[in-house]
Amino acid sequence: MEMLSFMLGILITFAHANGPPDPPPSASEIESWQWAWNERRLTERKYWRHDTSQKPPYLPPKGWIYNTSAAPVEGKINVHIVPHTHDDTGWQVTVDQYFFNEVAYILDTVVRQLNEDSNRRFMYVETGFFARWWDQQTDVVKNITRALVKDGRLEFINGGWCMHDEASPYYQEMIDQTTRGHQFLLKEFGSSGNPKGTWQIDPFGHSNTQAWLLSAEAGMGSLFWGRMDYLDGNVRLKNKGLEWIWRGSQSLGKSAEIFAGEIYGTNGGFGYSCPMGFDGSDRQIQDNPKRHDYNVDQQIEEFLGYVFDQAAHTKDNHIMWACGGDFNYQNAAHWYKNLDKLIHYANLNGTVNVLYSTPSFYVEQKNKGKTKWEVREDDIFPLADDAHHYWTGYFVSRPALKRQVRFASNLLNAARQMETISGVTAKEVDLPTVRPSPEVGIGWTDSLEGTIGVATHHDGMSGTERQDVADDYEQRISESQVEVEAGIVASLQTLLGTNLSSSDFSHCGCAQMDTCLNMSMCSFTAEANNGFTVIAWSPLSQDSVQYVRIPVTETNWKVTELATTDTVESQLVPIDDITHNLPLLYINYYGLSPAEIKAKEEEYRNKATHVLVFAMKLPAFGYNTYSISPGNDKNVIEIEPLLESNMQESTTESVSNGIYRIDYDTATGQLKTLTKLSSNISTTFSIEWGWYNSSTGGCTKEIPGPPASEEQCDDQHSGAYIFRPNSSQLFYPGPQQTPKLTVTKGPLVTEIKQVFSDWASHVVRLYAGMEYVEVEWTAGPIPMETPWLHEPDLGKEVVIKYSSSLKSKGVFYTDSNGREMVKRIRDGRGPSYPQPLNISEPVAGNYYPINAMVALEDEAANVQLTVITDVAQGAASLQDGNIEIMVHRRVLEDDARGVQEPLNETMCGCNDINAPPGQMGAHGHLGDGGCECAGLTVRGRHWLVLGDIKSTNMDRRLLDTVLQFPATLTFATKDVANEIQTPRRSFISKEPPANLRIMTLTNNYAHISGGKTLLRVAHLYSVGEHPTLSLPAKLSIDSVFSEQGLNVKSVEETSLTGNQPLKQLDDEKLVWKTYEPWNYSHPKSYEERKYMAKDGFVVEIRPMEVRSFWVTFS
């Protein structure tokens, strides 16, 4: 064709048949190329439109068979067409509703379309959906699919059970859900199913841990996403900097780096689609000149225009089109028939080269070029898509679901250990989950693993789903928890040597309202007036002392350690009114008569009167047992009534546990100082509550600029995703008053209770011998009404503020999914961000996610204050010496990010239950839809550590492990104590080094691995965090595991998720040409991995490294 010849002529300056590839075309070259092409196409088009006797610009291929067999061409712009769908495992509807309504049709039609043309490609992410589909397929379809996977036409990317969130999960939860997905793929497709890249296109910010641990160390060579900060993204768009080498770990350096980038999206607007979508009937390429609406020439012209624009913002001559979107390809023929035409005619044109591709193939081509790539270490938190649109609200949204996932994860971890050690099978437990997660493993922990996994979704535990979907996640976890608790009982019966009925055992792990230790409620112990037995399983790798708080009714108790028959010192603490009233908040009062209300309140009432407190001595990786029996001596501790913060004159009093001392003022009801006695380090100290008023659109007063200017004003609401207060003012939680302060002193625990209002209170605890100060906080029910301010209903973002005298100089540190600490700068970002950076929301723009801890340092004074949290939250340091942590939110407007519902949670879960689909959240007020219920109330714990920097760095990591993975308690009748044959036992022969943690021991995948057990070990410290504990540590696996039944026979080093040999993973890692433009200051990384000697059992583990092994026990 004449037009084709002209286009090929243009390419002479770019194409070289022989020799090395040219550097990417410059912007001026692309511009001149585009100008010449535009002139010619206009002439050709005009000619064709006015004289239909001439040949059209493009003729259909013979037999209508399109040539889609293109491969990369040197010297041309190569457009990688990457067909994909983004399938949320729950968001506006539940995971199963999405599957049956949409996802099943996607996979059905995609497999058929791929099978029609060997050149077509498709990538899929969410294994939790794929497993549902796989369960319903015939052997014929399964074999076709296996062939597609083996040939690389269907490629799994990410491969986790879902596309997890990156702000809310602890690293164990991220690893567990990814491992589950990878093991399913390995089981069904062998090594052909192993994902080669990471595709985190929809999460609302991206963590360093995702880059180095869940991508590079999981055997994946790339990481792509569809959202990044708009200021950073705009600069990078102009500078061709949307792709870089992400070196996310200071400890592992370049050995765990990865190719990463923002997807160009539609016209450089980011996202995860491409400029030309073919999912429905709106756009079709019509290439039959005998029919009306022939438009192939127009479509190719439009396509090339988009390509030139993207090429002008890309470093080399390979660009990627992410062709898909949310739940696309339900009729895959719409996409593939048009993409076939697009590839065929664009390549016939010859201006650029277009091919079906996948992200892994795209990255391989990038790696082959001569381009040097920027090395970047900064994470992508927080994310903003405009001046007043900071995605920092979801760090805290749906705090109860976040907490349930974290606590269920600890239960799963302990249960896996018991399942492996006891050998008890799912068949022996014989209480399968009624609606289980699609099966991957064979154990009784398998379904809980899957239900936790699906809840880590970026619209799951992130809190950005609708209320009924959040309820669905919670229900799935609770149902699977019942099976796991039965499995724990069966395992303990075996390990303890008892033959008693399972009905003699119980748990209080919040599977039901009356079994929740978090609100001092356990009907089994509260009603056991004759005594009971406690079996405590510790999943930790070292011996520990942990305090337990058990609800009881009587006041005469004796605690006996069964292994030694020693009487254990104990203390009774009265249950306060706030805690006693928590179960009554679950009542839905709508339509109840006074008599029915009275009956409901009696039904829900907590029968316990006190909590019994004592210290448990727990062996590593094992259990200890205690008998609780009626005693002779009353040990109720009296409350000192004069300390009720109503003194006329200020008096300073103090309490201490021998490690910390806290001073408080009896007149103001406030704490004054916190002192670490061993080092005599002291700081002024207070704990305050407050709330920010959620914006419903308007102006942020503190922003510089003229009143009502563009810099100040925006219609953006605060909502499930977005945190936007309407000012920086932190309001008192209720009418202004002196906090009520009450002190309870005892030999084991001393408590300072501060009540700021009936919906904001906390208890500060000093336990004897413990290296932390515990703050147990209770937030809620947050009122919507605000009569004390004479205002209408207002959304409220509730924070706890810790104030000290540390000179932190605008710097604080937050953890990355429980792994390395990241330096944060108030009103700033890391070195690779635009400087100076305009933070246009002074509060929301300084919030970061915390999964484990947040810290302040006074370097000159060598003092550090760390707050460790037991659940994912958001934190900031808005003034030197201060840490504020958002613990709860109740927001009355939707933030227009798709969930279509305000974040207005209630205790009985009946928020807007009668709202029709598409209008959920239209009202969001109590009483609508048959709901008269208290707002959600949540409780959690912070552990505070103060001291010199070195010792605090040491303590905080060890304490974090205890707080995240406390002992799992099982209660039994009094008679069980007499039946126990082995009252105390550790199932490891030798503790690993103190800086190592045995993360995982599970036989759930034994049928996939040939009978092997998966063992995973993590180094707790990062490089430079401590002079000795940050050094590499050696683990002798056969020395740790040499107990009867756990003698090590063989050990194989494997990838993080156990889907390939570790050496193979390392050998296949891509090596990149890089340059380092940013000044990052940290100690030298450990970049060389140490492998085990052949047939050996000793492994050296680097700082922060997580290592997995397949172990055969004899």
Side-chain angles (χ1 to χ4, degrees), residues 878-930:
L878 301 181
Q879 301 90 28
D880 282 1
N882 292 358
I883 293 172
E884 67 177 49
I885 299 176
M886 188 179 293
V887 297
H888 198 1
R889 316 175 70 217
R890 193 176 191 184
V891 183
L892 307 183
E893 298 283 347
D894 179 55
D895 54 13
R897 290 303 186 278
V899 74
Q900 302 174 17
E901 183 179 286
L903 189 67
N904 177 27
E905 295 186 278
T906 64
M907 288 292 281
C908 49
C910 58
N911 177 18
D912 278 339
I913 55 175
N914 287 338
Q919 298 180 33
M920 298 178 71
H923 305 290
H925 300 292
L926 299 182
D928 291 348

Side-chain angles (χ1 to χ4, degrees), residues 131-152:
R132 283 169 166 79
W133 178 80
W134 190 255
D135 283 348
Q136 301 178 180
Q137 302 312 304
T138 65
D139 288 341
V140 172
V141 174
K142 287 184 176 181
N143 288 334
I144 291 172
T145 307
R146 288 190 179 103
L148 294 173
V149 173
K150 184 176 180 180
D151 292 344

Side-chain angles (χ1 to χ4, degrees), residues 900-1104:
Q900 302 174 17
E901 183 179 286
L903 189 67
N904 177 27
E905 295 186 278
T906 64
M907 288 292 281
C908 49
C910 58
N911 177 18
D912 278 339
I913 55 175
N914 287 338
Q919 298 180 33
M920 298 178 71
H923 305 290
H925 300 292
L926 299 182
D928 291 348
C931 180
E932 188 178 341
C933 182
L936 179 70
T937 300
V938 289
R939 170 173 284 179
R941 290 185 294 168
H942 293 155
W943 284 4
L944 279 58
V945 188
L946 176 72
D948 65 84
I949 295 174
K950 182 179 77 172
S951 64
T952 305
N953 280 350
M954 175 184 72
D955 291 343
R956 68 188 186 184
R957 291 293 186 180
L958 302 176
L959 291 171
D960 173 61
T961 302
V962 178
L963 185 59
Q964 308 307 334
F965 301 97
T968 294
L969 303 181
T970 302
F971 301 103
T973 58
K974 178 183 178 180
D975 295 336
V976 170
N978 300 323
E979 298 287 331
I980 294 174
Q981 302 298 312
T982 310
R984 184 184 193 276
R985 186 174 179 186
S986 172
F987 292 92
I988 57 176
S989 303
K990 176 183 177 182
E991 291 185 5
N995 52 1
L996 296 183
R997 171 187 163 230
I998 301 173
M999 280 181 61
T1000 304
L1001 184 74
T1002 179
N1003 60 5
N1004 190 40
Y1005 311 123
H1007 66 304
I1008 304 172
S1009 64
K1012 300 179 182 69
T1013 298
L1014 182 63
L1015 168 68
R1016 189 176 288 122
V1017 182
H1019 198 298
L1020 295 177
Y1021 292 84
S1022 61
V1023 64
E1025 192 170 8
H1026 190 271
T1028 57
L1029 294 173
S1030 288
L1031 299 175
K1034 289 187 177 181
L1035 176 68
S1036 176
I1037 297 176
D1038 62 333
S1039 296
V1040 171
F1041 293 101
S1042 60
E1043 287 288 304
Q1044 183 179 359
L1046 286 179
N1047 289 304
V1048 175
K1049 183 177 180 182
S1050 67
V1051 178
E1052 301 169 22
E1053 295 179 291
T1054 186
S1055 63
L1056 179 71
T1057 61
N1059 65 351
Q1060 58 189 300
L1062 182 62
K1063 187 67 166 58
Q1064 175 185 321
L1065 180 153
D1066 287 339
D1067 289 344
E1068 293 177 357
K1069 282 185 176 180
L1070 298 174
V1071 178
W1072 294 91
K1073 306 172 186 68
T1074 62
Y1075 66 99
E1076 302 180 19
W1078 312 113
N1079 182 24
Y1080 294 107
S1081 177
H1082 53 73
K1084 185 178 179 181
S1085 305
Y1086 288 86
E1087 297 185 340
E1088 182 182 357
R1089 197 192 307 274
K1090 302 291 186 180
Y1091 303 102
M1092 288 193 310
K1094 188 176 181 180
D1095 299 325
F1097 300 103
V1098 178
V1099 61
E1100 182 175 294
I1101 301 178
R1102 298 173 290 171
M1104 275 291 114

Side-chain angles (χ1 to χ4, degrees), residues 246 347 406 868 1061:
W246 194 347
N347 288 339
R406 180 69 59 87
I868 309 170

Side-chain angles (χ1 to χ4, degrees), residues 219-498:
M220 294 181 274
S222 61
L223 169 59
F224 291 101
W225 55 84
R227 308 177 193 273
M228 66 184 299
D229 182 76
Y230 79 107
L231 293 173
D232 187 29
N234 290 342
V235 171
R236 290 183 167 276
L237 182 66
K238 295 176 183 177
N239 297 335
K240 302 183 179 182
L242 291 178
E243 296 172 325
W244 61 84
I245 301 302
W246 194 347
R247 198 170 289 171
S249 172
Q250 298 177 11
S251 301
L252 304 187
K254 67 188 302 180
S255 68
E257 67 187 19
I258 193 167
F259 186 88
E262 169 71 48
I263 296 171
Y264 190 77
T266 301
N267 301 331
F270 309 147
Y272 43 85
S273 60
C274 60
M276 301 174 70
F278 301 103
D279 195 54
S281 58
D282 292 343
R283 178 196 287 269
Q284 299 294 313
I285 298 178
Q286 207 289 75
D287 60 340
N288 189 343
K290 296 180 179 180
R291 302 289 175 256
H292 288 280
D293 303 317
Y294 174 94
N295 66 2
V296 64
D297 55 337
Q298 295 172 300
Q299 299 276 5
I300 296 302
E301 290 165 12
E302 184 179 353
F303 169 73
L304 290 173
Y306 291 135
V307 167
F308 290 144
D309 180 73
Q310 186 169 344
H313 296 90
T314 305
K315 273 191 174 181
D316 68 357
N317 61 347
H318 289 271
I319 66 175
M320 179 170 64
W321 273 37
C323 292
D326 289 2
F327 300 99
N328 276 207
Y329 291 81
Q330 292 182 50
N331 183 349
H334 274 287
W335 269 105
Y336 281 112
K337 288 185 180 298
N338 285 284
L339 289 177
D340 287 353
K341 295 176 183 179
L342 189 68
I343 293 171
H344 175 87
Y345 290 114
N347 288 339
L348 199 62
N349 176 289
T351 310
V352 299
N353 183 58
V354 191
L355 64 153
Y356 277 121
S357 187
T358 63
S360 59
F361 185 76
Y362 169 73
V363 172
E364 288 174 9
Q365 303 311 305
K366 291 279 191 179
N367 183 256
K368 290 178 181 179
K370 294 183 177 181
T371 302
K372 285 190 173 183
W373 299 94
E374 167 200 354
V375 172
R376 190 181 192 192
E377 297 184 7
D378 297 316
D379 65 0
I380 305 176
F381 281 122
L383 180 152
D385 57 31
D386 210 336
H388 302 281
H389 306 180
Y390 282 88
W391 297 57
T392 53
Y394 80 100
F395 300 161
V396 190
S397 297
R398 303 201 185 278
L401 175 58
K402 285 178 167 65
R403 182 178 177 85
Q404 184 179 16
V405 171
R406 180 69 59 87
F407 277 66
S409 182
N410 175 47
L411 177 68
L412 173 65
N413 187 49
R416 285 165 160 173
Q417 295 175 2
M418 288 183 252
E419 181 178 39
T420 302
I421 293 167
S422 70
V424 171
T425 65
K427 184 177 180 180
E428 290 170 318
V429 174
D430 195 27
L431 190 64
T433 303
V434 176
R435 289 176 292 273
S437 177
E439 181 182 293
V440 176
I442 56 174
W444 44 266
T445 58
D446 186 68
S447 187
L448 181 60
E449 177 186 286
T451 55
I452 294 172
V454 78
T456 64
H457 169 56
H458 62 270
D459 279 312
M461 71 180 298
S462 61
T464 55
E465 70 277 35
R466 290 182 177 174
Q467 183 64 57
D468 58 330
V469 180
D471 295 342
D472 183 70
Y473 289 127
E474 293 164 353
Q475 179 181 351
R476 290 172 189 274
I477 293 173
S478 296
E479 289 176 349
S480 298
Q481 183 175 328
V482 172
E483 179 182 7
V484 165
E485 289 178 347
I488 288 174
V489 169
S491 296
L492 290 176
Q493 287 174 314
T494 298
L495 299 174
L496 296 171
T498 66

Side-chain angles (χ1 to χ4, degrees), residues 781-793:
I782 303 173
M784 292 186 299
E785 303 81 8
T786 320
W788 62 91
L789 295 180
H790 306 290
E791 293 282 352
D793 295 351

